[in-house]
């Protein structure tokens, strides 16, 4: 297109707009360059000096000072731009109109002028908000510039949870999401396979997924609160957890089970179905999405969960895709059956998918809506201001406040009057009470073998072969008799295919009741003190026929740990903590108390009983 006087007259006839800006002289050069920067960051446009706001072409004289100032102004663009002014002579005058034109197709967006990014809206130029600048930067720079792919030089592979990495690889192989070759990976190779390292250096994504220390990652915190009433005026419970993504998701689910109602309905007096007052899968999907889509680059960004009497609010620092509302996403998922998943952290999201935290791509919003509507609740509501995303689940109107009674019953579970006060019956055969409180009384009679099985299955679905391998057992008959059948009879473990109990591909997972017990034990700070009261140890369940009375008297936690060490003296501390149902720091302290020590190199050594080497 020829830039001449006719072209300028045509522009002047149509007045200023989003892609046209007039300045009378280069005395307004700075404002003109800001507008040009906004056009670079947008869809292009034209800035003309020598035209009044009313569209009259007046021109201006061009001298050395003017050309020097223009050159200096052009040099203030970052990244540098390849643009030169076009001087158009004005008829019957020694003056010129100065034209700058861009098509907006430059590849180095976002641009800044004099240290600030600008945007164009209608005929107005303004500083670009930080949110839009970051979004445009990510869009143009692509994956390699994302926060999750940046290397943290202060971290090494030794700072990561090796056992958790292996667990994720094994889980992905069981689900058919990785090939069997991955089972032979060393930790460095596994991290490389998951795109969590660059040239052997650990990326931020590896730290938030598998880290053990989070001094560099204040984002790895979870804020949990149970408020009294419908405002933030009074706390019933207030917690903060620090950990990697897997630990934080578990902490969130444990908090839900502690403060929400677990109702059971008996259908035709044949079987009982337990349900959380807000569907479990919907809550878990919301928490997982919060971490999958969180803007990890913001150090002040943390996920928060607030439970009120009438609703639950889950918030995180993030955003929805540009110009797409949550309702539109849900409609696309339902009607078009399209994959609407556009995670801003694709590497983190992929590992969460491999591990089973994410089951299906791009179906989460519609699944949450269907789950809530199936439970007679409204679909969750979404709010986004460009920086924070909030999802609100409405609680049932007849919700019973279980937070206080749950805490009371947990500390007085031996009292019949207390246990009776934490449940309420309705005429339709439904019993209601907090998940944590309802299991406290029942947990006293659950055998250690069942609790161990619950801890191994967790959120997974495992085949008999998988469970035997994890537990290092060989006898299917003994395992089925000692572990599996009692757990199924207690309503804690379910079959994936109940219509075909002997199916060769049969898998086993926890019922909602089993998950409630799993999370309650996982995050109960008083597990060690309560174990003797809550667990009935049956020496006859020992597969080796051993009956060490001293071990039983010392507590079932010690009993389980010693059994595990006898079976495998090279077992990791993390695995022992999982078997015992406590944290690694707790198991470390207990090992000293029980005079059990690690002998040899951290990687190749083994556990010994101190009395055996004295």
């Amino acid at each position: 297109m020829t830039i001449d006087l006719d072209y300028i007259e045509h522009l002047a006839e149509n007045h200023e707009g989003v892609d046209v800006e007039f300045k009378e002289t280069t005395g307004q050069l700075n404002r003109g360059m800001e507008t040009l920067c906004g056009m670079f960051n947008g869809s292009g446009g034209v800035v003309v000096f020598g035209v009044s706001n009313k569209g009259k072409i007046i021109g201006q004289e061009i001298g050395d000072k003017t050309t020097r100032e223009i050159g200096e102004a052009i040099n203030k663009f970052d990244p540098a731009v390849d643009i030169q002014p076009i001087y158009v002579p004005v008829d019957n005058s020694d003056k010129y109109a100065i034209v700058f034109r861009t098509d907006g197709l430059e590849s180095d967006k976002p641009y800044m002028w004099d240290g600030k990014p600008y945007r164009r809206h209608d005929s107005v130029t303004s500083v670009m908000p930080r949110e839009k600048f970051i979004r445009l930067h990510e869009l143009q720079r692509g994956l390699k510039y994302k926060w999750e792919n940046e290397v943290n030089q202060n971290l090494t592979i030794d700072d990561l949870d090796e056992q958790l990495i292996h667990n994720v690889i094994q889980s992905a192989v069981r689900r058919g999401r990785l090939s069997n070759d991955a089972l032979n990976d060393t930790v460095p190779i596994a991290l490389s396979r998951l795109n969590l390292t660059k040239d052997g250096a650990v990326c931020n994504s590896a730290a938030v997924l598998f880290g053990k220390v989070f001094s560099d990652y204040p984002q790895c915190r979870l804020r949990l609160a149970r408020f009294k009433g419908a405002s933030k005026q009074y706390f019933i419970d207030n917690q903060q957890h620090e950990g990697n993504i897997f630990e934080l998701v578990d902490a969130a689910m444990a908090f839900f089970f502690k403060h929400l109602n677990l109702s059971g309905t008996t259908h035709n007096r044949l079987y009982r179905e337990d349900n959380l007052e807000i569907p479990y899968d919907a809550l878990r999907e919301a928490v997982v999405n919060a971490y999958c889509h969180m803007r990890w680059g913001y150090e002040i960004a943390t996920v928060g969960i607030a439970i009120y009497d009438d609703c639950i609010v889950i918030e995180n620092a993030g955003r929805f895709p540009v110009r797409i509302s949550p309702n539109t996403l849900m409609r696309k998922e339902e009607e078009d059956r399209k994959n609407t998943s556009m995670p801003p952290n694709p590497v983190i999201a992929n590992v969460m998918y491999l591990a089973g935290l994410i089951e299906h791509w791009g179906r989460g919003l519609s699944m949450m809506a269907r789950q809530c509507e199936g439970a007679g609740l409204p679909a969750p509501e979404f709010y986004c201001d460009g920086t924070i995303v909030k999802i609100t689940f409405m609680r049932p109107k007849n919700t019973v406040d279980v937070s206080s009674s749950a805490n009371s019953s947990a500390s007085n579970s031996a009292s019949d009057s207390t246990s009776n006060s934490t449940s309420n019956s309705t005429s339709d055969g439904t019993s209601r009470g907090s998940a944590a409180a309802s299991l406290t009384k029942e947990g006293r009679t659950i055998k250690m073998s069942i609790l161990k099985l619950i801890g191994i299955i967790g959120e997974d679905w495992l085949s008999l072969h998988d469970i035997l391998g994890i537990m290092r057992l060989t006898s299917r008959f003994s395992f089925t008799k000692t572990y599996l059948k009692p757990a199924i009879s207690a309503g804690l473990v379910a079959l994936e295919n109940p219509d075909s109990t002997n199916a060769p591909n049969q898998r086993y997972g926890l019922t909602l009741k089993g998950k409630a017990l799993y999370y309650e034990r996982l995050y109960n700070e008083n597990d060690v003190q309560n174990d003797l009261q809550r667990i009935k140890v049956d020496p006859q369940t020992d597969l080796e026929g051993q009956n060490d009375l001293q071990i039983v008297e010392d507590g079932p936690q010690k009993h389980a740990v010693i059994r595990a060490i006898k079976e495998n003296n090279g077992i990791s501390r993390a695995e022992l903590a999982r078997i015992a149902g406590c944290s690694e720091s707790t198991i470390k302290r207990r090992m000293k108390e029980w005079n059990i020590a690690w002998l040899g190199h951290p990687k190749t050594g083994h556990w010994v009983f101190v009395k055996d080497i004295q």
Side-chain angles (χ1 to χ4, degrees), residues 243-314:
N244 57 51
I245 288 176
F246 297 96
E247 293 169 333
L248 296 178
V249 171
D250 283 349
M253 300 313 297
F255 195 72
F256 288 138
F257 277 114
K258 179 179 181 180
H259 290 288
L260 299 184
N261 289 304
L262 185 67
S263 63
T265 302
T266 303
H267 296 270
N268 300 322
R269 298 185 179 180
L270 294 178
Y271 65 95
R272 174 188 171 92
E273 180 179 323
D274 292 297
N275 295 289
L276 210 56
E277 63 175 79
I278 295 175
Y280 173 86
D281 290 338
L283 290 173
R284 184 173 172 82
E285 180 71 20
V287 173
V288 169
N289 275 347
Y291 285 106
C292 179
H293 294 271
M294 191 169 88
R295 297 178 60 190
W296 287 96
Y298 279 5
E299 293 185 357
I300 60 172
T302 58
V303 173
I305 298 175
I307 300 179
Y308 302 90
D309 285 357
D310 59 344
C311 67
I312 297 174
V313 179
I314 302 172

Side-chain angles (χ1 to χ4, degrees), residues 204-270:
N204 287 328
S205 50
V208 300
L209 284 162
F210 301 117
K212 296 185 289 186
V213 179
F214 304 97
S215 55
D216 290 343
Y217 299 96
Q219 309 97 312
C220 292
R221 291 188 177 92
L222 172 64
R223 295 171 286 114
L224 301 169
R226 170 64 171 102
F227 295 101
K228 183 178 182 180
S231 69
K232 293 183 177 181
Q233 186 173 5
Y234 299 109
F235 282 105
I236 294 177
D237 193 1
N238 186 19
Q239 303 178 20
Q240 180 168 290
H241 291 262
E242 181 180 78
N244 57 51
I245 288 176
F246 297 96
E247 293 169 333
L248 296 178
V249 171
D250 283 349
M253 300 313 297
F255 195 72
F256 288 138
F257 277 114
K258 179 179 181 180
H259 290 288
L260 299 184
N261 289 304
L262 185 67
S263 63
T265 302
T266 303
H267 296 270
N268 300 322
R269 298 185 179 180
L270 294 178

Side-chain angles (χ1 to χ4, degrees), residues 2 43 145 171 207 239 327 340 494 512 517 527 554:
T2 302
S43 301
Y145 291 101
S171 179
Q239 303 178 20
N327 291 332
T340 63
L512 190 62
L517 183 58
D527 256 353
D554 287 343

